[in-house]
Amino acid sequence: MNTQFEFIDKHEAAAILKVHPGTLNRYRQDGKLIEGVHYTRLSTQTIRYNKPLLEDWAANRDDPAAHRRAIEIYLASLLSNQTRKK
């Protein structure tokens, strides 16, 4: 998985997952897409999706353990999870 951060709109996200853009809302409500991991809210009306993780989720729908590993790698790469050098 690419650890670079690239966030996309709902139309691009829907195209990656091969679903209707409205389906993304249901995926968020059902907990299939995790806030702070698969998507982030910029405002009440604006949501951006994590492209690398959506691509990984689409590729690993039949292997949840593989996708969990991709999430762990992503979370570990966040600056907030980096240890400070003293």
Side-chain angles (χ1 to χ4, degrees), residues 68-86:
R68 271 194 303 280
R69 285 190 300 275
I71 291 172
E72 290 169 6
I73 291 167
Y74 166 74
L75 292 174
S77 73
L78 296 175
L79 288 176
S80 60
N81 291 329
Q82 302 297 311
T83 56
R84 290 187 187 178
K85 292 183 181 179
K86 292 185 179 186

Side-chain angles (χ1 to χ4, degrees), residues 55-72:
E55 290 170 336
D56 185 83
W57 187 58
N60 290 306
R61 285 187 186 185
D62 296 331
D63 188 0
H67 185 59
R68 271 194 303 280
R69 285 190 300 275
I71 291 172
E72 290 169 6

Side-chain angles (χ1 to χ4, degrees), residues 7-20:
F7 291 89
I8 56 177
D9 67 18
K10 67 180 177 181
H11 300 288
E12 293 175 86
I16 288 170
L17 298 177
K18 297 181 175 125
V19 298
H20 186 274

